[in-house]
Amino acid sequence: MTQLPSSVPTGLFIGGQWRDASNGGKFVVEDPATGQVLAEVADATPEDGMAALDAAAAAQESWARTAPRVRGELLRAGFEAVTARAEEFAQVMTLEMGKPLAESRGEVAYGAEFLRWFSEEAVRIYGRYSTAPDGVNRLLVTKRPVGPSLLITPWNFPLAMATRKVAPAMAAGCTVVVKPAALTPLTTLLFAKVMEEAGVPAGVINVIPTSRSGATTAPLFADSRLRKVSFTGSTEVGRVLLKQAADGVLRTSMELGGNAPFLVFSDADLNAAVDGAYNAKLRNGGQACTAANRIYVHSGIAEEFSEKLAARVAGIQVGPGIEDGTQLGPVIDDDALVRIGGLVDEAVATGGKVLTGGHRMDRAGHFFEPTVLVNVPREARVLTEEIFGPVVPISTFDTEDEAIELANSSEYGLISYVFTKNLARALRLGERIETGMLAVNAGVISNPAAPFGGVKQSGLGREGGEEGIEEYLETVYIGIGNPYAS
């Protein structure tokens, strides 16, 4: 068994207590780099899910009345604690998810920053007071927390996706039930332990890892005490959750799938564009909703761009993320390997050409060669479906209008990438591309101070920035009679 830090809990965290599942059940968490078992984790049942909601509901009123400064200071204490234990978090994350240690350390810094950002936003929840236009009544508008919230996080960024949801909820005065992905629950459990040690009151944060997500969370959706659902994951699952949320008219935040276009125009700094594509595609092994999924390059520079990028990709050091020097780790599981291989094979069968990579690696664990494909037909599934792996498909365009048409041809609209030296063009693209975020001459733009989210089938709502806390607040209008009436 691969060694985990002994500090990592493996139970459920409900009402401030670490406990076993109600039926004693457990599920296995594996290291995707070796296939070895890392830990056995308590497998929450529907009864455990309801117990977590009971705890969150019981703590809601007192937490909502807790002074904003106190809520903020607890989040700040969490930031300090996570930062102090950065190496421990990075090791756990790399072991259960597979990314290189350097990237895990980057995620710890990024994830912790949400705690610091929203510790500062907790004291900036404002309302307004005004005179009605007819001069009679007074209008008082205030904010209050939505209430107990269910937060469902994905496996690919196990710390950052937890902090990006927990921090604004806590800052707003909401208690939470966190359901981490079964593939990577350990980082979230460690985070809950650290927040407990930082002084967060019992019931404010509850964590229910489970191998049966739908069955465990369904009773929560049916309970009127639950008032908010935030989900990060596939669009297919998001649609199901939206239907479930409709019966209770729950507030929802949905950060769903992506199929990001990466546009390189003829006037782009070619080396910067290659660096940007490398970072936008291969960060996290390509297993990110923000990953550049469709690379469209102006036909006049496509060959040079492709050769430069392929040379860069061919030199990547692949291996277990825990080993020094590793630049690319495994994909999450064998199902992912099969799916990625199928996308590549179909692209080649329909006219695409492999410049480097293209195959599953013959070694223990779930490794796929970093791959660059050119001449990819526009209808190939590797361009129309989210890859979630280290595969770079390249196609071409000739005009700006054609590039915009290609960018908008997907049902998704999370993020788009543009490389050009023409500022006017960048502004036009910002207005014409159907996307929630636009990266201009940059391969990574996610930042806790900025609103993260998409349009179309990529979801609803925003996380991060000033906008992030609003997802957990209700607006209340109080009308006051004329104070001058006799």
Side-chain angles (χ1 to χ4, degrees), residues 138-222:
R138 299 301 182 262
L139 315 180
L140 178 63
V141 179
T142 187
K143 301 291 180 73
R144 66 183 178 204
V146 171
S149 302
L150 173 62
L151 314 179
I152 304 174
T153 60
W155 54 263
N156 54 342
F157 291 97
L159 179 63
M161 297 303 97
T163 58
R164 197 160 79 182
K165 295 179 188 298
V166 170
M170 283 183 57
C174 298
T175 58
V176 302
V177 176
V178 185
K179 204 293 295 179
L183 290 168
T184 59
L186 300 171
T187 304
T188 306
L189 290 169
L190 179 59
F191 170 60
K193 180 180 180 181
V194 167
M195 294 301 286
E196 176 194 19
E197 293 171 352
V200 174
V204 173
I205 299 176
N206 306 276
V207 185
I208 51 167
T210 180
S211 65
R212 298 159 294 179
S213 180
T216 301
T217 60
L220 279 67
F221 279 84

Side-chain angles (χ1 to χ4, degrees), residues 56-57 59-66 71 75 125 144-151 165-177 200 203-206 227-228 251 469-474:
Q60 178 57 52
E61 184 174 358
S62 62
W63 182 244
R65 291 185 177 180
T66 299
R71 298 199 301 260
L75 285 168
I125 300 172
R144 66 183 178 204
V146 171
S149 302
L150 173 62
L151 314 179
K165 295 179 188 298
V166 170
M170 283 183 57
C174 298
T175 58
V176 302
V177 176
V200 174
V204 173
I205 299 176
N206 306 276
R227 297 312 313 145
K228 163 80 181 183
R251 285 279 295 276
I469 199 169
E470 292 293 333
E471 299 288 333
Y472 296 90
L473 293 170
E474 298 281 17

Side-chain angles (χ1 to χ4, degrees), residues 231-235 238-239 242 252-258 411-414 436 452-462 471:
F231 169 73
T232 298
S234 72
T235 298
R239 292 190 190 107
L242 283 168
T252 59
S253 298
M254 295 281 151
E255 200 272 277
L256 307 178
E411 64 183 349
Y412 300 104
L414 181 62
F452 185 104
V455 300
K456 301 196 293 188
Q457 297 287 319
S458 286
L460 306 165
R462 294 295 181 269
E471 299 288 333

